[in-house]
Each structure stands twice: as structure tokens, then as C-alpha cells.
């Protein structure tokens, strides 16, 4: 552990030095990349420096045990420091888990109504509101790029970005099929119906993550519809991009400006291609995929929202909370923390297996 901590500390010092280099300061992409790397390892470095300080203090206090007058005071302080050291070592063990390089990134999220017709679309709208409320609580910013409203409310599909601090680290486990069990407003006999909506979460690609060859992209300009206000429909401002090699299609229509819609669409296309690349890498590295919570596939049933019982259950970790009403208001911290804790446990197990 100490050897790894020394390597991390050395890298931290190297980055700090590089960030003072005028050539780096004038290179925005490199500057951002190094700043993110430094930010990611800073908590580990701080913990290591605290550990060094505790060990130095313990050395001094152990020498005081030979002094009869100071021994009792020294023993009390040693006990407190040993307890802090024990807790700190556990924290460092978590900090040394291999980091997901995308944890600090913004995301693009897509929610679709799936099985259940109008009720599925309404539920997709409920999920969008839930994530919007959660983003608001975290001072994150949401920006919709495309929305297709359902005939009875909600959305058959809505695509949006969430920008803020460590967004992907909190929401990366939300991809999958979300199931709702409730009595729809249109149900006259009080029967509980089951409907589903699917969620896809992708880390937003940075400029140095994925280089898009625009010669491989077909650009179509159409008239906007569905959202963005009355004026948005008066001009041909919506942009549809088709990536010819993969067949991936993205659509942006919420801005009045064709240029802004094109910028959004390019960013979404880059993110989709980057997400595809990440999934291919995971498939090639099967062990890492097995250590994940679920597959991250849209088709995997991950969670049930049961309205009659006011219960939410995440099936991947067999975790339930009995406060569905609060969850739908964006209070999903308990579920997210449970998922993060389980992810850390799985990664620790993987690390221990590798070191045996």
C-alpha cells in the first residue's frame, strides 16, 4: 500500500509542476486533462499525508511512554491516534480502488417510454422529473436536446444533458429498465398496471475522448416539432445527424438556432460513439464487466417503483426503501449511496483476488 501511495504522491507532484508550465497553461485540452487527474488523486494524497503525520506523532508519543509523568497522557493520545489511523487505512483502501476515469464527467441521459403505451410515456415523464429534482438538489444544470411528448402526457423519448460536479459517478448505475406498478389515471376498475421506461446514461465525451470524422456523418435539416416554444416551429432549425459507419442517429431540435442544434447534436453523437467504444472495451475485458453492478444495458430490469406499497426496490442489490413518494421528488440519495457502496465492495473483492 505504501509503495502505491508513494507513486501516487510522486505523480501528484509531477502534475502540480506541469500545471505551472507556460506551454501547458496555453494548451486548454492538456490543462483540463491534468487538472482532472490531479483532482482525482488529491483525496488520496491528502489521506496519505495525514497518515504520515499520524505515524510521526505516534513515534514521538511512544518515546514519551518512557517518561513516568507523561506516560498516562501519551497512552490516551496514542489510543485516539491509533483509532484514527485504523479508520484512515480503511478510507485509503477505498481511495486506492481503481477509479472510473469517467466519474468526474457530465452525462447525457435518454429516457424512453417502453412497455405499457401511454402509461409508460407518463412514467418516463415522472422519471425525468425525478432526475430533474435530484439535479436541482445537487446544483447541477439540465439541458434538453430532444423531446417527443406522449399523447397523454410524459414523453415517448427525451434526451438531455446534466452538467455539474461528478455527475456520472452518481448516476452511472441508472441505466436499465425501470418498472412501475400503479393504478393509471385512465383505469376505471382500480386495477394495478405494470409499465416500463428505459434509461440510458452516457458519460459526455470530451474533445480528447473521441475524434469525430465529419466526412462519415450525414447532416439533415428539418423543421422542429414537439418542444421549444411556438417560435421554434417557424424555421428549419432541427438537426439530424447520421453516423454512416455505425448507423447511429441523433436529433436536436430545442434551440431556435440551427447552429446551436448542430453543436448539441455533434456532442451527443460523439458521446454515443464514445459510449459504444467503452462498451466494446468492457466486453474485451470480461473480468471488469463481471465486477460491475448489472450490465448497464437498457434491457436489464434494474428497479421497481410500487405505488400501492410506496416502495422502491433495486433488484441488482436487493435494496428497498419505503418512501416512493419522496423518491419521486428527487430524494434518491439512499439508493445511489447503496449502489456506490456495493460497487466499492465488488471492486475491493476484485482487488483482493488479484493480489492473492
Amino acid at each position: 500500500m505504501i509503495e502505491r501511495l508513494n507513486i501516487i504522491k510522486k505523480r501528484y507532484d509531477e502534475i502540480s509542476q506541469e500545471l505551472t508550465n507556460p506551454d501547458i497553461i496555453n494548451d486548454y485540452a492538456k490543462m483540463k486533462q491534468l487538472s482532472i487527474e490531479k483532482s482525482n488523486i488529491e483525496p488520496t494524497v491528502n489521506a496519505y499525508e495525514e497518515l504520515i503525520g499520524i505515524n510521526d506523532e505516534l513515534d514521538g508519543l511512544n518515546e514519551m511512554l518512557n517518561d513516568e509523568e507523561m506516560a498516562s497522557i501519551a497512552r490516551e493520545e496514542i489510543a485516539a491516534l491509533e483509532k484514527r489511523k485504523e479508520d484512515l487505512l480503511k478510507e485509503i483502501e477505498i481511495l486506492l480502488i481503481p477509479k472510473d476515469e469517467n466519474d468526474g464527467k457530465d452525462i447525457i441521459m435518454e429516457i424512453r417510454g417502453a412497455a405499457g403505451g401511454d402509461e409508460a410515456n407518463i412514467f418516463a415523464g415522472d422519471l425525468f422529473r425525478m432526475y430533474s429534482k435530484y439535479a436541482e438538489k445537487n446544483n447541477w444544470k439540465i439541458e434538453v436536446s430532444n423531446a417527443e411528448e406522449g399523447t397523454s402526457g410524459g414523453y415517448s423519448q427525451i434526451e438531455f444533458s446534466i452538467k455539474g460536479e461528478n455527475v456520472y459517478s452518481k448516476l452511472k448505475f441508472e441505466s436499465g429498465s425501470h418498472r412501475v406498478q400503479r393504478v393509471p389515471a385512465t383505469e376505471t376498475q382500480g386495477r394495478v398496471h405494470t409499465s416500463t421506461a428505459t434509461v440510458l446514461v452516457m458519460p459526455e465525451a470530451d474533445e480528447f475522448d473521441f475524434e469525430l470524422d465529419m466526412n462519415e456523418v450525414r447532416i439533415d435539416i428539418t423543421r422542429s416539432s414537439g418542444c421549444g416554444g411556438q417560435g421554434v416551429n417557424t424555421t428549419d432549425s432541427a438537426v439530424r445527424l447520421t453516423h454512416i459507419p455505425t448507423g447511429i442517429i441523433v436529433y436536436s431540435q430545442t434551440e431556435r438556432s440551427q447552429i446551436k442544434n448542430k453543436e448539441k447534436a455533434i456532442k451527443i453523437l460523439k458521446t454515443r460513439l464514445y459510449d459504444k467504444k467503452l462498451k466494446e472495451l468492457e466486453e474485451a475485458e470480461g473480468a471488469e464487466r463481471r465486477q460491475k453492478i448489472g450490465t448497464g444495458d437498457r434491457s436489464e430490469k434494474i428497479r421497481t417503483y410500487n405505488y400501492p406499497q410506496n416502495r422502491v426496490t433495486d433488484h441488482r442489490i436487493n435494496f428497498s426503501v419505503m418512501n416512493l413518494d419522496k423518491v419521486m421528488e428527487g430524494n434518491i440519495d439512499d439508493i445511489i449511496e447503496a449502489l456506490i457502496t456495493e460497487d466499492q465492495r465488488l471492486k475491493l473483492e476484485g482487488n483482493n483476488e488479484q493480489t492473492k
Side-chain angles (χ1 to χ4, degrees):
M1 178 187 282
I2 297 301
E3 184 179 350
R4 287 179 65 192
L5 289 168
N6 279 326
I7 292 170
I8 293 169
K9 176 66 166 65
K10 182 180 177 183
R11 177 58 184 155
Y12 181 83
D13 293 338
E14 287 173 355
I15 295 171
S16 298
Q17 186 61 39
E18 283 186 76
L19 288 172
T20 64
N21 185 328
D23 292 336
I24 299 294
I25 293 171
N26 294 324
D27 185 340
Y28 171 76
K30 187 65 176 176
M31 183 82 172
K32 183 177 180 182
Q33 195 172 22
L34 287 172
S35 297
I36 290 171
E37 185 182 353
K38 181 182 178 184
S39 176
N40 286 340
I41 63 176
E42 193 164 41
T44 306
V45 172
N46 290 340
Y48 180 37
E49 289 177 343
E50 184 182 352
L51 180 64
I52 292 171
I54 287 174
N55 284 334
D56 288 344
E57 282 190 67
L58 286 171
D59 288 342
L61 289 167
N62 281 320
E63 289 181 8
M64 289 171 59
L65 292 175
N66 298 320
D67 185 328
E68 290 185 8
E69 293 183 4
M70 302 297 294
S72 61
I73 297 174
R75 275 192 289 271
E76 287 182 15
E77 293 191 23
I78 286 171
L81 282 173
E82 288 288 1
K83 177 63 172 65
R84 175 55 190 151
K85 181 178 178 179
E86 183 182 341
D87 293 340
L88 189 59
L89 287 171
K90 290 177 182 176
E91 291 174 23
I92 290 173
E93 189 177 35
I94 297 292
L95 288 167
L96 288 176
I97 293 172
K99 297 288 186 297
D100 185 333
E101 63 181 17
N102 294 309
D103 274 353
K105 291 186 176 179
D106 301 330
I107 68 165
I108 289 177
M109 181 181 281
E110 181 187 276
I111 305 174
R112 291 186 182 185
D118 288 343
E119 174 64 11
N121 294 340
I122 293 169
F123 180 50
D126 293 339
L127 289 176
F128 173 64
R129 182 176 180 274
M130 178 186 80
Y131 290 123
S132 298
K133 290 280 189 180
Y134 181 68
E136 186 181 332
K137 292 175 191 298
N138 285 279
N139 296 314
W140 297 339
K141 181 183 176 184
I142 282 190
E143 195 172 275
V144 176
S145 56
N146 183 40
E148 298 172 15
E149 296 178 359
T151 55
S152 299
Y155 301 96
S156 60
Q157 178 178 337
I158 183 165
E159 197 165 25
F160 53 97
S161 64
I162 305 182
K163 301 179 183 297
E165 187 175 351
N166 297 320
V167 179
Y168 185 71
S169 69
K170 296 289 183 72
L171 294 178
K172 62 183 175 182
F173 301 119
E174 295 303 296
S175 287
S177 177
H178 295 238
R179 182 175 68 172
V180 63
Q181 295 174 325
R182 64 184 175 190
V183 179
T186 55
E187 169 59 50
T188 57
Q189 299 181 26
R191 292 175 298 185
V192 173
H193 289 225
T194 298
S195 305
T196 60
T198 60
V199 174
L200 179 64
V201 176
M202 298 171 286
E204 189 172 273
D206 290 325
E207 57 270 23
F208 41 79
D209 283 330
F210 194 90
E211 189 172 339
L212 180 63
D213 183 354
M214 291 304 294
N215 292 320
E216 298 180 339
V217 179
R218 187 176 72 241
I219 303 173
D220 296 306
I221 308 301
T222 63
R223 183 151 295 188
S224 298
S225 62
C227 62
Q230 294 177 344
V232 80
N233 296 316
T234 62
T235 58
D236 292 334
S237 59
V239 175
R240 182 175 63 238
L241 302 183
T242 304
H243 188 245
I244 296 166
T246 62
I248 292 174
I249 298 172
V250 302
Y251 192 69
S252 179
Q253 64 166 342
T254 54
E255 300 289 343
R256 293 171 183 259
S257 162
Q258 183 186 121
I259 294 173
K260 289 183 179 179
N261 278 326
K262 183 180 176 182
E263 287 174 356
K264 278 187 178 182
I266 288 173
K267 181 162 283 190
I268 294 168
L269 180 56
K270 282 184 177 181
T271 295
R272 285 190 175 279
L273 291 168
Y274 179 54
D275 186 61
K276 185 175 184 294
K277 174 184 168 185
L278 291 176
K279 283 182 168 57
E280 288 170 352
L281 287 172
E282 281 182 8
E283 291 294 342
E285 301 169 3
E288 182 176 338
R289 191 170 178 85
R290 285 193 296 273
Q291 287 171 18
K292 289 182 68 178
I293 295 176
T295 64
D297 294 335
R298 188 197 292 275
S299 59
E300 181 190 17
K301 184 183 77 175
I302 64 167
R303 195 173 297 152
T304 295
Y305 302 73
N306 186 299
Y307 275 72
Q309 297 178 15
N310 199 35
R311 171 175 52 82
V312 182
T313 299
D314 195 289
H315 304 290
R316 295 164 296 179
I317 58 174
N318 196 27
F319 178 83
S320 294
V321 292
M322 306 302 293
N323 60 346
L324 171 59
D325 51 340
K326 293 180 180 178
V327 166
M328 299 313 291
E329 291 297 317
N331 295 299
I332 57 176
D333 298 274
D334 289 346
I335 299 171
I336 285 172
E337 289 304 319
L339 288 162
I340 290 172
T341 299
E342 178 63 8
D343 179 60
Q344 291 174 343
R345 187 189 69 79
L346 290 172
K347 286 179 176 175
L348 278 173
E349 281 186 0
N351 279 354
N352 292 337
E353 286 297 319
Q354 290 170 16
T355 54
K356 283 181 181 177

